[in-house]
């Protein structure tokens, strides 16, 4: 039984920019406007049809305060209700959750969520360092670089197998990115490069290497949510939001030391357990047709499969090694290329939802998975150490 | 609020961050800032759907999301204050020392205001609705500070300094149909006004004002400045290097030619009075020798003295001799040599003298008169007397006027008002109306232009003046 909803909500339009490392040609509202106009076009709507704008990005990453006010020039929020949300890395999925709630509540019929980031303008440390607690040995929080997951996977499965699996994951993501014209980084990597890259890519922290890590991108994403009545009137292929969950746990802030019984990133598992339980999904690996996962680095993408799908032993490694996570495999992960390819942070998690919706509609183009997508999953990560999960459905049938 | 709470035993960790960042202005923002920087033009964008002109410019109209990135329109560097605040404290990040005014300014042609510094006015004098104009910065900043600040708008000044030479056909400025109609209407209402600058006279000396010219070069420079300011003609009494008025042919010709060389377009009007104590022969022979386009012709014998205006005390007593014979002979000599006489009228009797002599029929039309006011020995300026003189003129007459000292500007204003022309210059008066010493005759010309503009009349070019006065260009 999914959590109680006043009325059903569907995604009826998605839009995104081409993502890239620099967008000198546009300022922030101009870049956002590209995604906004793409989403309106996709939904065949005009800005007059939108009741409310939900705007979000990482706090202070562009060194601009209250960007939602300036961005009215591009968002279309002039004269409309507008809300700004900033929940760190998860903000994109939080935008989707909030939009779903705003429509489900009956307050608005049609809501547009807009996530963006223009990382080249700002300095992420400026925004992220407010996590600092200098008294307790956290002088500065400088970002998401950590080698501990690589260390754990290596400890558990041996150095060679772990490193190969992580690099396989990385190359699959690049192959997917090469099919997505909006992806930021698409190198054209091939599986025969696994060994070379394992040894030659510059190390960032321990076995976390540069090639494993996500990009810093400029880009924006807009998604339009509508109530059931409007969705059925306006859209031939509405994508229904079945349920979503947000998990953040107090103990995840305590990241001194490490104990295997209290792993840092436990929120994925908690989120998946609760969400699937209340929707009566026993085997998520079987149930879902595709998963757009917030995977900031190849090691995490690899490791987190186990948490999201309740996998045991080395099942998650085998999914990767057997290329089951590829387009055409049994559980395609990130047909879009994922976060490693494209990471305009405030848009990143909303892109997971948008790309999952495109898969459900069958409109993903060259990176559309070949089988019919009835059930899609999207995740957001960040926070500090939060998980947001959202389930999308083709039919209103649960 | 007093910070008197107990802070004993409170531990504080001090830190410091350096935060580099970039700002991408986007293409629209970039065009705006580079156009402002390189061309000193303020550009907005216009939405064709809602007709709003946005400043600062933006890529899309935020009301209807119309793409307006290429719809550039230039807005005026002037506008009005729609709101403002006074910054009353000093801080490192502030652009100026407090107190200063930050104003919301809606530029003419724009529908949205911008924020900028308003300077050149005391904060307590700033009013919503007041007109202001942009002061551009002298060196580029690549920010909106390429407009250094805004300042209260000065009254419109006639733009004559870059006037093209008469008859020159240059590139026509692009003007709208609306502006054209307005211009034609104005033209129909107005008549061109000829402004003459009497650069030196015979009596104004450098100890009174250093701007009075003595040498041919000084005359040329001064004439050029007057021309640039809007004068069509200069009236010249040549001087020696020591400042004494001269009847020496060569010196007069050199002075005349220096002016024409520096400023070929301008009309030179020579004096046939020259200065005190010159003989009739000395006075007319130089005119015949130089053959200027125009020369003064005096109409009556009169006292021409220097009297203390406050006490009535006589400083210099002198009789300016202009017999009927001289009026006749000088007039004939001028007409015969193609020099147009400017008939100097010091009182009604002088005009009557000319009317008598003119019965001989040698004066050619149109006739040109100059009403002279304030000479000690002539008449003082009185508006009703002005009308008497004007009404006594024969048909086909033009008139101009000049006044000595403080009578200069009231007299020329009246002349301009009733359809006559205007003479200014250091010969008649060394000051401008606010009482300050004129920087030169040209500054009085600027004032005359302002008077003309305010009365809806445009300064005549030299060619237009020739046409009006019937001169032969040399």
């Amino acid at each position: 039984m999914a959590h109680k909803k006043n009325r059903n909500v569907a995604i009826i339009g998605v839009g995104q920019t081409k993502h890239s490392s620099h967008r000198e040609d546009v300022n922030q509202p101009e870049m956002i406007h590209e995604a906004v106009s793409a989403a309106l076009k996709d939904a065949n709507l005009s800005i007059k049809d939108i009741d409310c704008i939900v705007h979000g990005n990482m706090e202070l990453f562009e060194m601009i305060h209250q960007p939602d006010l300036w961005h009215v020039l591009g968002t279309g929020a002039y004269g409309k209700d507008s809300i700004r949300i900033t929940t760190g890395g998860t903000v994109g999925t939080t935008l989707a959750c909030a939009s779903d709630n705003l429509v489900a509540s009956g307050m608005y019929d049609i809501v547009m969520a807009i996530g963006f980031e223009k990382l080249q303008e700002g300095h992420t440390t400026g925004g992220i360092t407010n996590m600092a607690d200098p008294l307790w040995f956290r002088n500065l929080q400088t970002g998401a670089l950590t080698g501990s997951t690589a260390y754990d996977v290596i400890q558990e499965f041996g150095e060679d197998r772990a490193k190969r699996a992580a690099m396989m994951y990385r190359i699959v993501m690049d192959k997917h990115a090469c099919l997505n014209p909006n992806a930021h980084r698409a190198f054209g990597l091939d599986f025969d490069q696994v060994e070379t890259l394992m040894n030659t890519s510059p190390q960032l922290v321990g076995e976390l290497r540069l090639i494993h890590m996500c990009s810093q991108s400029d880009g924006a994403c807009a998604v339009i949510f509508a109530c059931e009545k409007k969705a059925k009137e306006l859209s031939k292929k509405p994508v229904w939001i079945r349920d979503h969950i947000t998990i953040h746990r107090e103990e995840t802030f305590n990241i001194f030391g490490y104990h295997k019984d209290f792993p840092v990133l436990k929120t994925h598992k908690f989120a998946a357990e609760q969400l699937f339980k209340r929707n009566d999904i026993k085997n998520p690996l079987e149930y879902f047709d595709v998963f757009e996962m917030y995977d900031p680095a190849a090691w995490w993408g690899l490791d987190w499969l186990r948490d999201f799908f309740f996998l045991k032993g080395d099942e998650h490694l085998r999914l990767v090694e057997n290329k089951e996570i590829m387009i055409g495999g049994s559980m395609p992960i990130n047909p879009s290329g994922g976060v490693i390819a494209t990471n305009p942070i405030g848009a990143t998690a909303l892109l997971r939802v948008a790309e999952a919706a495109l898969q459900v509609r069958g409109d993903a183009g060259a990176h559309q998975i070949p089988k019919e997508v009835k059930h899609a999953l999207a995740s957001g990560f960040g926070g500090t150490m939060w998980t947001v999960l959202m389930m999308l459905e083709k039919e209103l049938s649960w | 609020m007093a910070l008197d709470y107990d802070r004993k035993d409170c531990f504080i960790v001090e830190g410091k961050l350096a935060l580099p960042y970039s700002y991408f202005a986007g293409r629209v923002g970039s065009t705006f800032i580079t156009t402002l920087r390189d061309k000193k033009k303020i550009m907005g964008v216009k939405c064709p759907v809602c007709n709003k002109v946005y400043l600062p410019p933006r890529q899309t109209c935020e009301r209807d999301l119309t793409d307006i990135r290429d719809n550039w329109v230039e807005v005026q560097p002037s506008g009005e204050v729609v709101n403002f605040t006074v910054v009353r404290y000093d801080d490192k990040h502030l652009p100026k020392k407090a107190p200063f005014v930050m104003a919301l300014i809606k530029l003419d042609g724009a529908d949205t205001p911008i924020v900028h510094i308003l300077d050149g006015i005391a904060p307590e004098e700033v009013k919503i609705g007041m007109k202001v104009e942009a002061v551009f910065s002298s060196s580029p900043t690549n920010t909106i500070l390429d407009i250094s600040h805004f300042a209260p708008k000065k009254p419109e000044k006639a733009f004559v300094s870059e006037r093209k030479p008469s008859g020159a056909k240059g590139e026509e400025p692009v003007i709208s149909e609306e502006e054209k109609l307005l211009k034609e209407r104005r033209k129909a209402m107005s008549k061109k006004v000829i402004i003459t600058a009497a650069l030196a006279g015979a009596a104004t000396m450098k100890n009174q004002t250093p701007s009075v010219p003595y040498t041919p070069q000084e005359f040329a420079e001064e004439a050029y400045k007057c021309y640039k300011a809007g004068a069509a003609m200069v009236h010249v009494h040549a001087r020696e290097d020591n400042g004494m008025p001269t009847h020496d042919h060569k010196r007069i010709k050199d002075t005349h030619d220096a002016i024409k060389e520096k400023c070929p377009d301008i009309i030179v009007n020579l004096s046939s009075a020259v200065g005190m104590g010159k003989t009739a022969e000395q006075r007319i022979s130089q005119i015949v020798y130089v053959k200027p386009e125009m020369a003064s012709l005096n109409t009556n014998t009169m006292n021409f003295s220097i009297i203390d205006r406050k006490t009535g005390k006589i400083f210099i007593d002198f009789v300016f001799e202009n017999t009927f014979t001289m009026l006749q002979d000088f007039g004939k000599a001028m007409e015969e040599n193609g020099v147009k006489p400017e008939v100097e009228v010091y009182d009604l009797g002088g005009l009557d003298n000319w009317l008598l002599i003119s019965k001989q029929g040698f004066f050619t039309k149109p006739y040109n008169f100059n009403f002279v006011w304030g000479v000690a020995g002539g008449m003082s300026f009185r508006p009703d007397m002005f009308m008497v003189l004007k009404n006594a003129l024969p048909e086909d007459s033009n008139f101009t006027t000049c006044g000595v000292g403080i009578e200069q500007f009231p007299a020329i204003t009246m002349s301009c008002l009733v359809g006559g022309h205007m003479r200014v210059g250091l010969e008649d008066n060394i000051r401008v109306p606010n009482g300050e010493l004129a920087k030169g005759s040209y500054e009085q010309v600027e004032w005359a232009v302002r008077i003309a503009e305010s009365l809806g009349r445009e300064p005549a070019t030299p060619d237009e003046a020739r046409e009006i006065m019937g001169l032969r260009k040399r």
Side-chain angles (χ1 to χ4, degrees):
Chain A
M1 199 37 205
H3 77 290
K4 193 171 177 296
K5 232 175 175 177
N6 183 48
R7 57 179 179 171
N8 286 311
V9 180
I11 290 170
I12 61 165
V14 298
Q16 59 182 294
T17 59
K18 163 82 178 109
H19 307 286
S20 66
S21 62
H22 286 73
R23 284 300 303 274
E24 286 95 338
D25 57 327
V26 282
N27 66 14
Q28 291 173 26
E30 290 167 355
M31 185 186 73
I32 285 166
H33 183 72
E34 293 177 8
V36 168
S37 53
L40 288 171
K41 192 176 171 215
D42 183 55
N44 197 24
L45 297 179
S46 87
I47 192 66
K48 291 193 187 74
D49 300 310
I50 307 296
D51 301 321
C52 174
I53 303 283
V54 183
H55 173 287
N57 72 314
M58 281 290 285
E59 181 82 2
L60 291 177
F61 267 22
E62 283 79 18
M63 302 285 155
I64 300 284
H65 93 305
Q66 297 187 327
D68 51 324
L69 301 186
W70 177 31
H71 293 178
V72 165
L73 298 180
T75 60
Y78 180 85
K80 297 183 191 300
D81 286 2
S82 178
I83 301 167
R84 177 166 184 241
I85 291 175
T86 172
T87 62
T90 55
V91 66
T93 35
T94 309
L95 293 169
C97 296
S99 301
D100 177 49
N101 290 349
L102 286 167
V103 177
S105 72
M107 192 162 184
Y108 305 107
D109 286 345
I110 304 182
V111 168
M112 176 154 58
I114 302 167
F116 88 98
E117 213 74 68
K118 224 155 170 275
L119 288 172
Q120 289 299 333
E121 293 196 26
H123 194 252
T124 50
T125 297
I128 220 168
T129 197
N130 52 27
M131 295 156 67
D133 191 340
L135 197 63
W136 296 107
F137 202 54
R138 268 173 50 166
N139 293 324
L140 284 180
Q141 178 70 26
T142 52
L145 296 180
T146 158
S148 63
T149 303
Y151 174 82
D152 292 343
V153 179
I154 287 168
Q155 289 298 303
E156 193 173 348
F157 300 105
E159 187 169 357
D160 189 60
R161 189 181 179 198
K163 282 159 84 172
R164 279 178 192 280
M167 198 55 71
M168 280 286 283
Y169 184 96
R170 176 67 189 91
I171 291 170
V172 169
M173 290 306 129
D174 188 63
K175 286 194 169 296
H176 290 174
C178 286
L179 300 172
N180 178 3
N182 291 321
H184 169 190
R185 295 193 304 173
F187 297 120
L189 304 178
D190 222 330
F191 293 114
D192 59 11
Q193 290 172 276
V194 166
E195 209 151 313
T196 319
L197 290 170
M198 269 164 55
N199 298 317
T200 60
S201 176
Q203 284 175 285
L204 299 175
V205 185
E207 272 306 320
L208 178 72
R209 292 173 182 268
L210 188 59
I211 193 70
H212 292 130
M213 200 59 203
C214 60
S215 63
Q216 282 203 42
S217 312
D218 287 0
C221 177
V223 178
I224 300 172
F225 299 79
C227 64
E228 182 175 344
K229 183 167 173 289
K230 289 272 183 188
K232 284 177 171 167
E233 279 171 23
L234 296 170
S235 176
K236 284 186 187 127
K237 292 187 275 191
V239 178
W240 302 100
I241 295 166
R242 177 162 172 180
D243 200 359
H244 56 79
I245 194 166
T246 300
I247 296 289
H248 41 98
R249 293 173 64 94
E250 190 186 359
E251 65 265 32
T252 61
F253 271 89
N254 182 359
I255 57 172
F256 303 115
Y258 184 74
H259 192 285
K260 69 180 169 59
D261 293 339
F262 303 100
V264 174
L265 302 176
K266 201 72 175 169
T267 53
H268 292 332
K269 204 169 175 188
F270 292 140
E273 276 172 4
Q274 291 212 25
L275 184 69
F276 299 156
K277 189 179 166 196
R278 74 190 187 195
N279 284 281
D280 201 25
I281 292 164
K282 302 268 178 345
N283 187 347
L285 197 59
E286 244 172 47
Y287 181 79
F288 289 105
D289 300 305
V290 66
F291 180 22
E292 276 287 340
M293 178 178 30
Y294 196 117
D295 56 343
W299 287 103
W300 283 353
L302 173 70
D303 185 51
W304 293 354
L305 286 170
R306 186 155 64 170
D307 288 344
F308 285 121
F309 291 120
F310 312 146
L311 302 179
K312 293 188 173 57
D314 66 349
E315 281 179 305
H316 58 306
L317 262 66
R318 278 189 277 130
L319 274 180
V320 175
E321 287 162 351
N322 298 333
K323 301 180 187 170
E324 298 293 354
I325 64 164
M326 275 188 85
I327 293 171
S330 63
M331 174 47 68
I333 305 294
N334 292 344
S336 63
V339 183
I340 301 173
T342 307
N343 189 27
I345 300 178
T348 300
L350 189 58
L351 281 168
R352 306 281 70 72
V353 177
E355 286 286 350
L358 286 175
Q359 291 290 340
V360 173
R361 275 167 42 177
D363 289 342
H367 62 285
Q368 177 70 41
I369 68 170
K371 66 180 175 188
E372 185 188 13
V373 179
K374 289 182 175 165
H375 317 291
L377 184 64
S379 79
F381 164 73
T384 306
M385 307 302 180
W386 292 14
T387 301
V388 181
L389 276 178
M390 181 170 270
M391 293 169 62
L392 302 179
E393 299 284 342
K394 187 168 189 174
E395 307 293 342
L396 261 175
S397 60
W398 61 91
Chain B
M1 193 181 72
L3 294 172
D4 56 357
Y5 56 89
D6 179 13
R7 284 181 290 172
K8 189 167 172 282
D9 298 333
C10 291
F11 187 71
I12 295 167
V13 179
E14 300 287 354
K16 196 173 184 179
L17 286 174
L19 296 175
Y21 73 99
S22 319
Y23 174 86
F24 295 179
R27 210 160 259 136
V28 170
S30 304
T31 302
F32 171 76
I33 208 73
T34 53
T35 309
L36 174 63
R37 181 193 64 195
D38 301 338
K39 299 184 181 160
K40 302 245 186 285
K41 277 186 182 177
I42 305 169
M43 304 296 288
V45 285
K46 184 171 185 175
C47 174
V49 176
C50 62
N51 276 325
K52 291 222 174 317
V53 173
Y54 289 108
L55 186 77
R58 53 212 62 179
Q59 188 175 289
T60 50
C61 172
E62 76 251 26
R63 287 156 202 250
D64 44 47
L65 295 192
T66 309
D67 194 322
I68 51 177
R69 74 186 74 184
D70 297 322
N71 233 9
W72 290 100
V73 290
E74 186 178 349
V75 304
Q76 297 304 307
S78 57
E80 71 174 56
V81 172
V82 297
N83 215 329
F84 68 97
T85 189
V86 182
V87 180
R88 296 200 182 274
Y89 67 97
D90 282 317
D91 205 339
K92 273 187 289 194
H93 72 278
L94 293 172
K96 272 180 74 66
K97 249 188 120 46
F100 67 94
V101 176
M102 290 297 287
L104 266 177
I105 295 158
K106 192 154 79 72
L107 294 181
D108 297 330
D111 287 303
T112 50
I114 59 168
V115 179
H116 216 303
I117 301 159
L118 177 57
D119 204 358
I121 181 169
E124 56 274 17
E125 283 171 21
V126 178
K127 298 264 187 307
I128 288 174
M130 71 181 290
K131 304 284 180 203
V132 294
E133 61 192 349
V135 177
F136 293 96
S137 97
S138 51
S139 54
T141 68
N142 295 312
T143 70
I144 190 61
L145 286 175
D146 279 2
I147 299 171
S148 152
H149 60 275
F150 281 79
K153 195 170 180 187
K154 293 193 197 87
E156 291 279 349
K157 204 170 161 184
F159 183 77
V160 292
S161 58
E162 294 305 318
R163 192 170 65 191
K164 281 177 241 143
S166 297
K169 291 262 191 300
E171 220 180 78
E172 285 294 314
V174 183
I175 50 172
S176 70
E177 284 306 310
E178 208 177 359
E179 279 174 314
K180 263 185 206 160
L181 277 172
L182 193 69
K183 240 186 146 140
E184 273 169 25
R185 268 213 309 280
R186 280 207 191 118
K187 207 169 168 181
M189 276 165 20
S190 92
K191 207 174 118 191
K192 300 280 180 166
V193 60
I194 302 162
I195 299 172
T196 300
L199 302 179
T204 308
M205 305 303 281
K206 279 197 195 286
N207 62 6
Q208 294 169 282
T209 171
S211 310
V212 69
Y214 288 171
T215 67
Q217 207 46 48
E218 285 172 354
F219 270 97
E221 289 297 337
E222 190 66 15
Y224 185 62
K225 283 181 194 167
C226 291
Y227 166 73
K228 285 213 311 184
M233 178 157 81
V234 287
H235 176 67
V236 173
H237 295 237
R239 301 285 191 92
E240 298 290 358
D241 284 351
N242 63 9
M244 292 312 291
T246 179
H247 59 270
D248 175 50
H249 290 185
K250 187 174 181 306
R251 181 71 174 193
I252 294 167
K253 190 170 186 340
D254 286 350
T255 303
H256 173 274
D257 292 351
I259 293 169
K260 291 300 281 184
E261 193 180 341
K262 174 80 184 170
C263 190
D265 204 24
I266 205 161
I267 303 163
V268 179
N269 169 334
L270 285 184
S271 172
S272 68
V274 183
M276 285 184 189
K278 307 293 179 188
T279 66
E281 202 279 332
Q282 286 168 342
R283 285 168 56 182
I284 190 60
S285 65
Q286 46 106 15
I287 301 289
V288 174
Y289 176 71
V290 178
K291 294 189 179 60
E293 286 184 73
M294 201 169 204
S296 60
L297 177 63
N298 296 287
T299 50
N300 57 339
T301 298
M302 62 189 287
N303 290 321
F304 207 121
S305 304
I306 298 177
I307 313 285
D308 188 320
R309 303 266 172 180
K310 285 178 193 144
T311 62
K313 201 177 153 196
I314 302 162
F315 289 139
I316 297 171
D317 207 359
F318 172 71
V319 174
F320 184 24
E321 194 179 55
N322 296 293
T323 62
F324 276 115
T325 307
M326 286 165 74
L327 175 54
Q328 166 197 282
D329 291 350
F330 283 21
K332 273 187 180 167
M334 287 180 195
E335 290 286 352
E336 282 167 18
N337 287 283
V339 177
K340 194 77 174 174
E342 182 194 64
V343 183
E344 309 297 326
V345 176
Y346 295 87
D347 61 30
L348 190 53
L351 177 57
D352 287 333
N353 292 350
W354 181 88
L355 288 168
L356 273 175
I357 296 299
S358 72
K359 288 182 191 295
Q360 296 179 26
F362 59 82
F363 288 114
T364 55
K365 287 182 175 179
Y367 312 124
N368 300 291
F369 297 89
N370 179 24
F371 305 154
V372 185
W373 308 92
V375 171
M379 61 190 170
S380 290
F381 172 64
R382 293 180 185 86
D384 15 10
M385 191 59 204
F386 198 110
M387 294 315 292
V388 170
L389 289 174
K390 176 183 180 293
N391 293 335
L393 293 176
E395 264 187 19
D396 283 323
S397 294
N398 302 299
F399 63 96
T400 185
T401 202
C402 64
V404 174
I406 56 166
E407 295 193 348
Q408 181 179 63
F409 283 97
I412 66 166
T413 304
M414 174 141 191
S415 181
C416 188
L417 184 65
V418 298
H421 303 288
M422 301 194 281
R423 176 174 125 173
V424 290
L426 300 181
E427 169 171 353
D428 305 328
N429 177 25
I430 57 173
R431 299 184 185 276
V432 285
N434 64 12
E436 284 173 19
L437 218 53
K439 296 190 187 83
S441 294
Y442 70 91
E443 203 191 358
Q444 294 175 342
V445 173
E446 287 175 358
W447 278 88
V449 168
R450 234 170 283 163
I451 291 165
E453 292 281 347
S454 70
L455 294 176
R457 299 184 65 186
E458 275 180 34
T461 65
D463 271 2
E464 287 165 342
R466 287 184 179 99
E467 199 183 319
I468 294 165
M469 296 190 293
L471 309 189
R472 278 184 252 166
K473 190 173 184 181
R474 295 186 200 274

